[in-house]
């Protein structure tokens, strides 16, 4: 079973994402901030991270993404950034940090599942 780590400071969003991902047979883990998410990623070595960009605590989603992609033990992990920031410069910053995909909130859960499947299949 593939592992997904959801890192978002909003419990209701984590719950919604968890419920959605459980339908596609993933092992789901959650973190409420970037620092905890990074530690969990290093321990669990997930296949996919769903990262909120804006989180309190000094380690935001962009920084988690950068550190995950720079870690040889985690470089295989796919990263989808989930954010309310949809400007072109925000997207560019997300991809520059190493994100595999960038979804702007509010996004549909179907769009998220389709994005995950595309990443699994390696299709653009």
């Amino acid at each position: 079973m593939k592992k997904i780590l959801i890192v978002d400071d909003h419990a209701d969003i984590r719950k919604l994402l968890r419920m959605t991902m459980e339908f596609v047979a993933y092992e789901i883990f959650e973190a409420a901030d970037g620092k905890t998410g990074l530690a969990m990623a290093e321990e669990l070595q997930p296949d996919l991270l769903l990262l909120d960009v804006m989180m309190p605590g000094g380690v935001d989603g962009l920084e988690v993404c950068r550190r995950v992609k720079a870690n040889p033990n985690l470089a295989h992990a796919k990263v989808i950034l989930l954010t309310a920031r949809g400007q072109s410069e925000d997207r560019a910053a997300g991809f520059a940090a190493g994100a595999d995909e960038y979804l702007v909130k509010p996004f549909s859960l179907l769009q998220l599942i389709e994005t995950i499947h595309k990443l699994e299949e390696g299709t653009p």
Side-chain angles (χ1 to χ4, degrees):
M1 179 180 287
K2 291 193 175 192
K3 296 179 196 173
I4 293 181
L5 176 58
I6 301 167
V7 185
D8 196 302
D9 57 315
H10 291 95
D12 54 341
I13 292 175
R14 290 195 314 271
K15 181 179 179 181
L16 178 63
L17 292 171
R18 171 185 278 281
M19 291 169 50
T20 301
M21 296 298 101
E22 286 174 342
F23 288 110
V24 286
Y26 290 100
E27 192 173 5
I28 310 294
F29 301 91
E30 297 178 31
D33 60 68
K35 186 176 179 183
T36 304
L38 193 56
M40 289 179 70
E42 290 170 355
E43 178 185 331
L44 298 168
Q45 297 193 5
D47 301 290
L48 174 67
L49 288 92
L50 301 177
L51 297 176
D52 183 19
V53 171
M54 296 180 293
M55 290 184 284
V59 181
D60 65 10
L62 294 176
E63 184 61 24
V64 173
C65 184
R66 277 192 281 281
R67 292 187 193 181
V68 164
K69 293 298 187 170
N71 183 331
N73 295 325
L74 296 172
H76 72 281
K78 301 293 185 186
V79 175
I80 300 175
L81 294 176
L82 309 173
T83 181
R85 301 180 73 162
Q87 300 296 321
S88 59
E89 57 270 10
D90 297 318
R91 294 178 64 82
F95 287 116
D100 295 285
E101 277 296 341
Y102 191 100
L103 295 180
V104 178
K105 296 175 183 176
F107 52 84
S108 75
L109 296 176
L110 180 59
Q111 180 184 13
L112 176 61
I113 291 170
E114 287 173 351
T115 300
I116 291 169
H117 287 304
K118 278 194 262 184
L119 288 176
E120 286 178 333
E121 295 167 4
T123 57

